Amino acid sequence: EGPCGTAIHENRPLWCQDFTQTPINVPWRELASRYEWHSKAVLPIHKNGMVVGIFCLYANKPQAFDEEVQDLLLKMTGDISFALDNFDREEKRTQTEQALKKNEQFTL
C-alpha cells in the first residue's frame, strides 16, 4: 500500500518529493527521519510488458527528483526493461536452437 506497492500495482513511477509530508509514507516516517530520507523515487521495471520489479531511490534532500532527473531515471528503467526482454529472447532462441539440433539428431 506504500509507494513501492503503488508503483507495482498501478504500473507507474511514483515521486515522493517530500517524504515526510507525503501521506502515503506515514508508516515509514520514523524510519525516514532516522536515515534522513527526504525524497523517494519508485519506478517499475518490466519484462515482456509485465512489472517484475522496481527501482527505488532515496535522497537526503526534498525535491531531489527534478524533471531532468526523472527523465534520466525513466530512461534507466527503460534500458533495464529492454535488457531483460533481450535476455529472455536470447534464452528462448537458445532453447529453440537446442531443440532443433536435438530433433535433427533423431531425423538423421
Side-chain angles (χ1 to χ4, degrees):
E1 294 179 19
C4 295
T6 300
I8 290 168
H9 294 297
E10 296 182 9
N11 190 18
R12 66 179 178 92
L14 197 71
W15 314 100
C16 300
Q17 296 287 23
D18 190 344
F19 197 93
T20 60
Q21 298 303 313
T22 306
I24 197 170
N25 293 318
V26 169
W28 299 279
R29 282 188 182 159
E30 183 180 324
L31 192 62
S33 176
R34 185 179 331 149
Y35 292 104
E36 298 182 13
W37 297 337
H38 293 284
S39 298
K40 181 177 184 174
V42 185
L43 298 94
I45 295 175
H46 301 90
K47 180 178 171 188
N48 299 320
M50 302 288 294
V51 177
V52 294
I54 56 168
F55 187 65
C56 182
L57 293 122
Y58 295 88
N60 63 355
K61 66 178 187 173
Q63 307 300 322
F65 303 107
D66 61 20
E67 189 175 330
E68 185 178 338
V69 172
Q70 288 182 18
D71 288 344
L72 177 63
L73 294 174
L74 288 167
K75 287 177 185 173
M76 286 174 60
T77 54
D79 288 346
I80 292 168
S81 297
F82 181 77
L84 290 175
D85 288 347
N86 280 341
F87 293 148
D88 193 48
R89 277 192 292 274
E90 180 60 22
E91 182 179 345
K92 288 177 183 174
R93 186 196 65 75
T94 300
Q95 290 173 348
T96 301
E97 187 177 275
Q98 289 173 351
L100 286 171
K101 285 181 182 178
K102 189 174 185 179
N103 189 37
E104 285 176 1
Q105 290 174 353
F106 290 119
T107 59
L108 292 177

